[in-house]
Amino acid sequence: MNPLLLLLSLSIIPFILAGSSPSPVLDIKGDKVQAGPNYFVLAVIRGNGGGLTPFNVKQNNTCPRDIMQWNDDVQEGLPVVFTRLDAKKDVVGLSTDLNVRFFTPTICARETIWKLGPYDDKLKQYFVVTGGVEGNPGPQTLSSWFKIEKFEKDYKFVFCPSVCKICKVICKDVGIFTKDGVRFLALSDTPFRVMFKKIF
């Protein structure tokens, strides 16, 4: 092969890779997870708790702010809806910024968007709570953006937003913090291994 053609071919490869779409997140049936439909977020490991739901445990608000995981595997919690940073695309890709919102037909419907809460000095912990902002990427909404990444054969949520190039951000896995028998969604060194079950 002509050395010049070989060099040109090799130089084109990074541009092709850079323009490729991220791998899709798949649900338990092997279908691509999409922005818009509702999905249960469930623990992969049996005996490791059920689904997620907003609840008032540490706080007392009209709309629940804490996010807890049911202790019982049978409880699937409330479904969530994903909103992509790129609203023109439907498929949720790995390691891409997205909003996560609990689906609930109540007055609290717009109050259920996930966000990273303030640091809890007493518990020395960051908790994932509700009350975030959907869309409008930038410094003001930094706490409302999460990513889904592969964790071995399964998935995990990560807080490491890329929506602000000049902002210093925390990059850490989302896991479960247990206090007094209650499982809270929080930043952790141990990821919460999850799977996604589409309902409608």
Side-chain angles (χ1 to χ4, degrees), residues 2-159:
N2 187 309
L4 181 58
L5 289 177
L6 177 60
L7 182 62
L8 287 172
S9 299
L10 291 174
S11 66
I12 290 171
I13 290 174
F15 291 100
I16 295 173
L17 293 176
S20 61
S21 298
S23 298
V25 177
L26 304 179
D27 65 15
I28 59 174
K29 292 184 177 180
D31 296 325
K32 296 176 182 178
V33 171
Q34 296 178 311
N38 297 331
Y39 294 87
F40 285 123
V41 178
L42 303 173
V44 171
I45 302 171
R46 297 294 296 174
N48 200 30
L52 303 173
T53 190
F55 210 79
N56 275 329
V57 181
K58 297 187 285 78
Q59 309 175 63
N60 186 18
N61 299 283
T62 302
C63 293
R65 285 286 182 254
D66 302 307
I67 300 177
M68 59 161 279
Q69 181 200 17
W70 287 100
N71 291 324
D72 188 348
D73 289 14
V74 177
Q75 296 287 346
E76 295 183 310
L78 276 182
V80 300
V81 178
F82 299 113
T83 302
R84 287 181 45 114
L85 176 63
D86 183 355
K88 295 179 181 178
K89 296 183 179 180
D90 295 330
V91 176
V92 174
L94 288 172
S95 302
T96 57
D97 289 288
L98 52 85
N99 298 131
V100 187
R101 171 174 53 86
F102 283 112
F103 176 80
T104 174
T106 68
I107 59 170
C108 294
R110 305 309 301 179
E111 298 287 323
T112 59
I113 299 155
W114 294 13
K115 72 173 185 177
L116 184 67
Y119 186 71
D120 189 318
D121 287 311
K122 184 178 179 181
L123 297 175
K124 308 299 182 188
Q125 183 69 52
Y126 280 103
F127 290 93
V128 179
V129 297
T130 64
V133 178
E134 195 168 39
N136 299 314
Q140 292 77 22
T141 64
L142 199 63
S143 64
S144 301
W145 296 94
F146 293 83
K147 295 176 181 177
I148 298 172
E149 294 184 354
K150 286 290 288 185
F151 181 40
E152 297 173 352
K153 294 182 179 180
D154 306 309
Y155 296 103
K156 63 180 180 179
F157 284 102
V158 172
F159 181 79

